[in-house]
Each structure stands twice: as structure tokens, then as C-alpha cells.
Amino acid sequence: MSKKVLILSGSPRKGGNSDLLCDEFLRGAKDAGNDAEKIFIRGKKVAPCNACYYCRDTGSGQCAVKDDMAEILDKMQQADVIVMASPVYFYSIDAQMKAVIDRSVARWTNIPNKEFYYIMTAAEESDTVMECTLACFRGFAACLENAQEKGVIYGKGVYEAGEIKGKTAMKEAYEMGRQV
């Protein structure tokens, strides 16, 4: 059965290491017959949350900030599978991904029953640096009804854009995408 897969690439660098892993996951998901799409978040206009609670106070699920986040939220709601990817920045997710997570407040109760995959990259070889970043992803999913974690990919020991090529994480990303 084909699934609708949404990949949110939080990489600030197009063709950066986490973005390349997203491409491999996308390729695997499509090769398996799924309807898959990648959003390169930096290529979208997503402002930070203002905590004005317009979304709550109007009951509309619409944000007072008019940018590309409404489109991203629509796609998150429609997806069966959500892949979230970020490089590790100071043991956490990067600003692009954080803005998307925070802006999800407008409709977070309307994003139930999703399968989640997480992709992270870091210059260090240690799993320790990934743990806080993974905790950020898991914290978001914990707020969503019936979210299920299905897989995690660590791209370790990569700093310069493209260093991930030839690493085992590339094959892992492809295979994980195929098995969605």
C-alpha cells in the first residue's frame, strides 16, 4: 500500500549532508512506490512563532503570520509519514526546523497518527551529540496524538557539504525510505 511521505529538510545548505540524506530517503520511498515529496525548509518563507495565539483565539487553525507555513502544515496533515532532518547545532536542531516545529502550534492537534523518521548529521563521530537533537524531534512527536517513531539515521563525522557521500548513512537512508 502506497503512503504519502513528507520529508522536511532542515539543512541550511542545499546539498548539505542532512539534505543529501533526505534525497536518498526520498529516492528509496519513491522507488518503493510511495508518493513522496521533500520540502527544503530554507527555500520557504517560515517566520518564527510570535506566540500571539491568533490560531487558538480564532479557532481557525490559521496563523496570523502569512508565509509558507500554512502550505507546510497542509502537507503535514495530509502525510502518512513525516521525515524530519537537521544537522546538529549545539546539540540541538537548527533554526529552520525549530521554526517549523514552533509554528505547528496552529494545528498540532490536527496532525495525528503519523509515522516519524529522523535524520541527523554532525561533525563528531559520537552518538552523544545526536541524543539531544533526537530528543527535540521526539519531544515534538510526543505532543502529537498516536505518533510512531519508525527509524533514526545518524550521519556522523561529516562537516563539509557532501562529506556524507560514500558513508553507510546514505545506504541506510535509501533503505529506510524503501521500507516505508
Side-chain angles (χ1 to χ4, degrees), residues 54-124:
Y54 174 87
C55 55
R56 178 198 63 199
D57 295 343
T58 63
S60 67
Q62 299 301 311
C63 185
V65 179
K66 301 303 176 205
D67 59 12
D68 294 329
M69 192 58 202
E71 170 195 350
I72 294 170
L73 281 170
D74 288 345
K75 291 179 181 203
M76 289 174 77
Q77 285 180 261
Q78 295 162 7
D80 300 305
V81 175
I82 299 175
V83 179
M84 302 178 87
S86 176
V88 174
Y89 280 15
F90 295 100
Y91 295 93
S92 190
I93 57 176
D94 67 1
Q96 290 79 6
M97 184 61 68
K98 182 65 170 135
V100 167
I101 289 172
D102 289 350
R103 290 284 300 287
S104 296
V105 72
R107 291 192 237 162
W108 68 277
T109 58
N110 297 327
I111 309 174
N113 307 314
K114 305 300 178 194
E115 296 177 0
F116 280 90
Y117 292 83
Y118 307 119
I119 297 172
M120 293 154 283
T121 56
E124 293 184 41

Side-chain angles (χ1 to χ4, degrees), residues 17-25 119 121 153 155 164 169-170 173:
N17 295 308
S18 58
D19 191 48
L20 290 172
L21 290 174
C22 288
D23 290 342
E24 282 302 289
F25 194 104
I119 297 172
T121 56
I153 297 170
I164 197 72
M170 289 290 279

